[in-house]
Amino acid sequence: MLHQPGDFLTGMIIMKRRTFLVGAGVAAATGAGIHWLTRGPDYDSVAANLWSHRSSASGAGFADLVHYATLAANSHNAQPWHFQQTHAGVVIAPDFSRSLPVADADNHHLYASLGCAAENLMLAARATGRSSELTFDPAGAGRVQVTTGRAGAARDALFDAIPDRQCTRSDYDGRALGAMDRMLLQRAARVDGCELLLIEDRARVEQVLELILAATTIQVSDPAFVAELRSWLRFNARAAAERGDGLYVACSGNPTLPTWLGSILFGAFFKPAAENERYARQVRSSAGLAVFVSERDDPAHWVEAGRSYQRFALQATALGIRHAHLNQPLEIAPIRRQLGALLGVGDRRVDLMVRYGHAAPMPRSLRRPVSDVIIAA
Ligand SMILES: Cc1cc2nc3c(=O)[nH]c(=O)nc-3n(C[C@H](O)[C@H](O)[C@H](O)COP(=O)(O)O)c2cc1C
């Protein structure tokens, strides 16, 4: 999915050189002067406080477990989840009011996002002396039940990496991974019913890139897709902090703007050619592509694919490896099938795809307060 507003602002900056009218707006928007217009709460301190371990981790209560769960990756940062404490553990229920009907019509990403949250929650439970086990309840409108029991505390590197993980949507430095890193990523991503493919052969990467570009062209040309994405973009720190959700443009390296201006310029400059040029550059700057494939195409397996990806992301973080999603070809069924055929996965569903490599960190995303996502037992 095209989660990054991409180069529409860069396009705008190029336009500045051509058009005085737009240029004037851009100069204001990209210069230092814009920040007084868009400054809200201190974004950096809100983010730093959010992306931290909870000091009570030694005996973490329910709210702390939920804190860790909400730091999981999730599609459009829509955070489509509710958490409920039960006698046996925790139920993670889908919040369909936060689904993405255009980009994620079958709710695949929604369930994968629940899997990401479940994995973080289970790691946190284990780190604080509880065993945990996940079951998926299709009858309960697709609820994920994490059962926790007593066990010795088992804090591992994946848990430690939770506050450092991010999706890094920038150009990478082209460096390859070492064999040991590849092995550790494979091992971390191991989850029943799900396989991880690492693609580093450049000719094969180019073949996959072609499908990424074809899917990007279709999505960027679809007004419904663009409108949905725009509704989740947060064009400045104030909007991002007030909502605590969505895609803050600075996380993708774009300058911040007043919401009204960002929204207009996004519509004008979010175009297939610019998006494709950026995706091609970013894929070619990456060490490889990680593809998550599950045995069966149903919500229970989408949850497992989310868990597998989240574990990969945390292990990558622990190793200093960055990653960013490239799911566009998986969101258009015929292109997803083409990708499956290219990768030789038979009838299995290709669930998620990310690029990985090395790069500096980007600004962090935000989350809604834990109290907003807990529902009464
Ligand atoms: C199931 C799923 C699908 C996603 N698809 C995309 C995508 O296609 N493009 C993208 O840039 N990010 C994608 N993301 C990443 C989210 O946008 C990201 O997790 C969210 O904005 C929060 O940012 P963070 O992970 O850096 O905290 C996806 C994440 C998940 C879990």
Side-chain angles (χ1 to χ4, degrees), residues 198-219:
L198 297 181
I199 305 171
E200 298 188 354
D201 173 74
R202 295 328 289 184
R204 180 46 61 97
V205 168
E206 287 296 321
Q207 288 174 314
V208 176
L209 176 59
E210 265 183 43
L211 298 178
I212 294 170
L213 302 185
T216 301
T217 299
I218 292 171
Q219 290 186 327

Side-chain angles (χ1 to χ4, degrees), residues 157-174:
L158 269 54
F159 171 72
D160 288 336
I162 291 176
D164 297 324
R165 185 210 57 81
Q166 65 165 206
C167 293
T168 309
R169 301 185 187 92
S170 57
D171 293 2
Y172 295 172
D173 69 8

